[in-house]
Amino acid sequence: MNVGDLWFTDDCEAGDTNWTRSGSPDLWHITSYRAHSGAHSWYFGVDSTHVYPRNADAAITSVSLTAGEENELRFWYWYDLTTYGSDGVYVILHAGGAADTVEFIGSGGALNYPPEEPLNIYSGWVEWSMDIAGLAPGDAFQVEFAFSSDGDDEAEGVYIDDITVRSRTPEKTGVGDVAGRTPGDVVALLPNPVRDEVRILMAPHAAALVLGIYDIEGRLVKELAAPAGARSVSWNLEDGGGRRVAPGIYLARINGDAYSSTGKIVVLR
Ligand SMILES: [Ca+2]
């Protein structure tokens, strides 16, 4: 990845806390029966029989994500679905109070790869990706996977793994150059590179903010609270468990109600 990119990535190996379940029956769960990465993936169905029920309508929806300048959704899926009918997963994007169905992976839908395979015997993992249009930097959005089945026939269903949203953010440079910036922007990192402690300077902001330190893979390393009006937050290069982080590049990201900003921190030995 390029420095300055932000990633939301969920390999389903650390539980379901990035997602909220809704609908019925409530059968979305992390399974260890199949996985694209590691040992776990999302699955809608009954684990003991590996079959989804008829007349299902249930979804998982992600935590709120913050758009950058360019945003791309990727995930891997595995499917076994009935040839006829309307069973499958809708991919839905939520932003600005609107819901936009961008894909249907199911009977009569997007199951055309490889085209020579009958629909209900294909059993490989397939990668899906799409540029997300219509988002401005700072927009909040959510990703939903909604499983739906009709009243006829059933099969094993759909597994989803390695869900990633890549968001490229504008470069932030300059010290004290506050004019034109969104409140809460990372204005400067002092010192940078850093050996002991870095002060993250930001433009004045009216509300309390949470500043996340992420490693280059997009994993959250530490959360720092910035009270309303604070102009800087310090990070002592420790992770959430109080351990000194490894040398390398880290991203300081501020999440507010409607904006986000990122600064690159270089941690030395
Ligand atoms: Ca996995």
Side-chain angles (χ1 to χ4, degrees):
M1 64 177 285
N2 296 319
V3 172
D5 290 352
L6 289 177
W7 295 68
F8 165 84
T9 186
D10 193 333
D11 61 7
C12 305
E13 303 304 315
D16 61 0
T17 55
N18 286 325
W19 303 85
T20 301
R21 302 193 311 274
S22 62
S24 69
D26 185 14
L27 288 174
W28 276 105
H29 63 284
I30 301 289
T31 182
S32 57
Y33 188 64
R34 298 186 189 279
H36 175 256
S37 69
H40 301 89
S41 68
W42 274 111
Y43 172 57
F44 179 85
V46 178
D47 239 14
S48 57
T49 57
H50 315 300
V51 172
Y52 60 80
R54 300 178 186 184
N55 300 309
D57 184 9
I60 51 172
T61 303
S62 75
V63 294
S64 183
L65 306 171
T66 304
E69 286 189 327
E70 297 169 3
N71 308 279
E72 180 190 51
L73 171 63
R74 285 181 179 273
F75 59 88
W76 287 80
Y77 65 95
W78 182 106
Y79 66 80
D80 170 48
L81 292 159
T82 58
T83 306
Y84 302 105
S86 56
D87 299 350
V89 168
Y90 293 88
V91 181
I92 302 165
L93 297 176
H94 296 267
D100 183 17
T101 299
V102 297
E103 183 66 282
F104 175 62
I105 299 168
S107 311
L111 300 186
N112 56 357
Y113 179 84
E116 65 275 18
E117 294 273 5
L119 290 183
N120 58 346
I121 67 167
Y122 188 72
S123 61
W125 283 93
V126 180
E127 187 176 26
W128 186 97
S129 69
M130 185 193 78
D131 291 332
I132 305 173
L135 292 176
D139 283 354
F141 67 101
Q142 291 171 285
V143 178
E144 175 184 350
F145 297 101
F147 188 92
S148 177
S149 59
D150 59 28
D152 298 313
D153 303 326
E154 58 281 300
E156 183 169 342
V158 178
Y159 298 77
I160 297 174
D161 201 355
D162 295 318
I163 304 144
T164 299
V165 175
R166 170 180 175 266
S167 298
R168 193 170 70 79
T169 55
E171 282 294 316
K172 303 295 180 189
T173 56
V175 177
D177 176 20
V178 177
R181 293 180 183 277
T182 305
D185 270 1
V186 171
V187 174
L189 302 158
L190 298 173
N192 193 29
V194 56
R195 292 182 189 279
D196 301 308
E197 182 170 275
V198 59
R199 281 174 64 215
I200 301 152
L201 308 187
M202 63 191 77
H205 50 96
L209 301 174
V210 173
L211 190 148
I213 305 293
Y214 295 82
D215 68 14
I216 199 71
E217 302 294 339
R219 290 181 291 254
L220 180 65
V221 172
K222 173 86 173 184
E223 281 190 332
L224 305 167
R231 288 173 176 272
S232 73
V233 169
S234 293
W235 178 41
N236 62 2
L237 311 188
E238 289 180 356
D239 65 17
R243 295 172 295 266
R244 162 91 182 203
V245 300
I249 294 170
Y250 294 82
L251 300 172
R253 180 181 184 189
I254 294 172
N255 290 317
D257 288 336
Y259 47 82
S260 71
S261 173
T262 307
K264 180 178 67 178
I265 302 169
V266 180
V267 175
L268 304 175
R269 288 183 189 283

